[in-house]
């Protein structure tokens, strides 16, 4: 059977995402990651690997009509989640390695409006007197394969809680990227989950390695009080039915870990 290279396919992903690392020896790359403590963001090979991974995942979602309709809205930023990026450390290993497999979560991108809340009176950077408004909503598209099953064909509840927590956390990554977190040193200080109350409404179905099932996860900041951010998130299927919900508290730490 001949393949059509013009159509994106879940088969683009390799069993080990680091097998696509365009260097001479991805095994050595993984070995070095076990002891590395800092990521070299200037590494051109690593940057190329992440660019390829991002393009493949976005192409996969654009091949699905209901996902394409979400991504085609004007002005959106669409990218791999920060936690999904390949790196030389053990940082975010759960999403960037453990779940980054064809049978688990072969595709995961986030999207949001970077101009949310901005007007002509706002400058490109915040100040103590006039901070920029927060980006309050980030959504993610996530492909689910059989390796995240609990019951056959149904995603494990712990994975659902993880994805809710993940997408909630991506709000802070987005705000940090655009200089919109409150406080002069906020971008360098971690924001961590204080609580995550999850309600499972309906089973979240998974797919196969060849045809993973896609869900939409949307997170929102409801309000914030100083270092505390009160938030909500939900998981929906392709028809918009709510499958799971969460309310959460995220807290900005006073200093680096």
């Amino acid at each position: 059977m001949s393949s059509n290279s013009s159509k994106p396919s879940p088969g683009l992903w390799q069993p080990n995402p680091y097998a696509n690392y365009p260097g001479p020896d991805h095994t050595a790359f993984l070995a070095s990651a076990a002891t590395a403590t800092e990521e070299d963001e200037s590494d051109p090979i690593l940057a190329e690997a992440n660019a390829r991974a991002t393009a493949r995942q976005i192409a996969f979602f654009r091949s699905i009509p209901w996902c394409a309709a979400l991504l085609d809205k004007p002005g959106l930023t669409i990218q791999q989640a920060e936690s999904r990026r390949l790196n030389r450390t053990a940082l975010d290993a759960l999403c960037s390695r453990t779940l980054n497999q064809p049978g688990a979560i072969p595709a995961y991108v986030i999207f949001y409006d970077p101009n949310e809340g901005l007007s002509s009176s706002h400058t490109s950077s915040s100040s103590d007197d006039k901070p920029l408004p927060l980006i309050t909503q980030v959504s993610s598209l996530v492909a689910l394969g059989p390796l995240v099953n609990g019951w056959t064909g149904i995603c494990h509840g712990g994975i659902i809680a993880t994805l809710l927590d993940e997408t909630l956390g991506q709000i802070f990554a987005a705000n940090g990227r655009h200089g919109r977190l409150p406080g002069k040193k906020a971008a360098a200080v971690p924001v961590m989950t204080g609580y995550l109350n999850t309600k499972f409404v309906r089973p979240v179905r998974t797919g196969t390695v060849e045809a993973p099932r896609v869900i939409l996860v949307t997170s929102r900041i409801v309000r914030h009080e100083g270092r505390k951010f009160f938030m909500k998130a939900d998981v929906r299927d392709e028809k918009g039915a709510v499958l799971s919900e969460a309310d959460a508290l995220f807290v900005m730490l006073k200093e680096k870990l």
Side-chain angles (χ1 to χ4, degrees), residues 35-214:
T35 56
T37 57
E38 296 184 2
E39 180 178 355
D40 182 3
E41 296 183 355
S42 64
D43 183 340
I45 298 178
L46 191 59
E48 182 181 352
N50 278 306
R52 289 180 181 179
T54 300
R56 283 196 302 271
Q57 292 172 84
I58 292 175
F60 167 74
F61 288 120
R62 287 195 181 280
S63 73
I64 302 171
W66 74 271
C67 297
L70 294 171
L71 299 179
D72 284 345
K73 294 178 181 178
L76 291 180
T77 291
I78 307 167
Q79 61 190 47
Q80 269 198 126
E82 291 293 331
S83 58
R84 182 76 167 191
R85 292 174 59 83
L86 308 182
N87 65 78
R88 292 183 179 275
T89 75
L91 177 69
D92 290 318
L94 176 64
C95 287
S96 66
R97 301 185 202 175
T98 307
L99 295 174
N100 193 357
Q101 303 181 51
I105 298 179
Y108 166 30
V109 300
I110 67 167
F111 59 97
Y112 60 92
D113 179 1
N115 296 312
E116 179 194 345
L118 294 181
S119 67
S120 58
S121 63
H122 294 112
T123 62
S124 59
S125 61
S126 63
S127 67
D128 288 342
D129 296 327
K130 191 177 181 181
L132 292 172
L134 289 167
I135 296 169
T136 63
Q137 179 169 310
V138 169
S139 297
S140 64
L141 289 167
V142 185
L144 302 174
L147 292 184
V148 294
N149 284 354
W151 291 97
T152 301
I154 298 174
C155 188
H156 192 288
I159 297 294
I160 297 305
T162 296
L163 293 173
L164 288 162
D165 185 63
E166 256 293 303
T167 305
L168 286 161
Q170 291 305 315
I171 287 187
F172 300 102
N175 277 288
R177 189 178 304 111
H178 294 280
R180 292 168 70 172
L181 287 172
K184 289 183 177 180
K185 299 180 180 180
V189 177
V191 181
M192 302 189 74
T193 312
Y195 63 70
L196 179 71
N197 298 325
T198 305
K199 179 181 179 182
F200 300 104
V201 181
R202 297 179 178 87
V204 177
R205 305 289 177 180
T206 60
T208 63
V209 173
E210 295 75 18
R213 195 77 170 263
V214 177

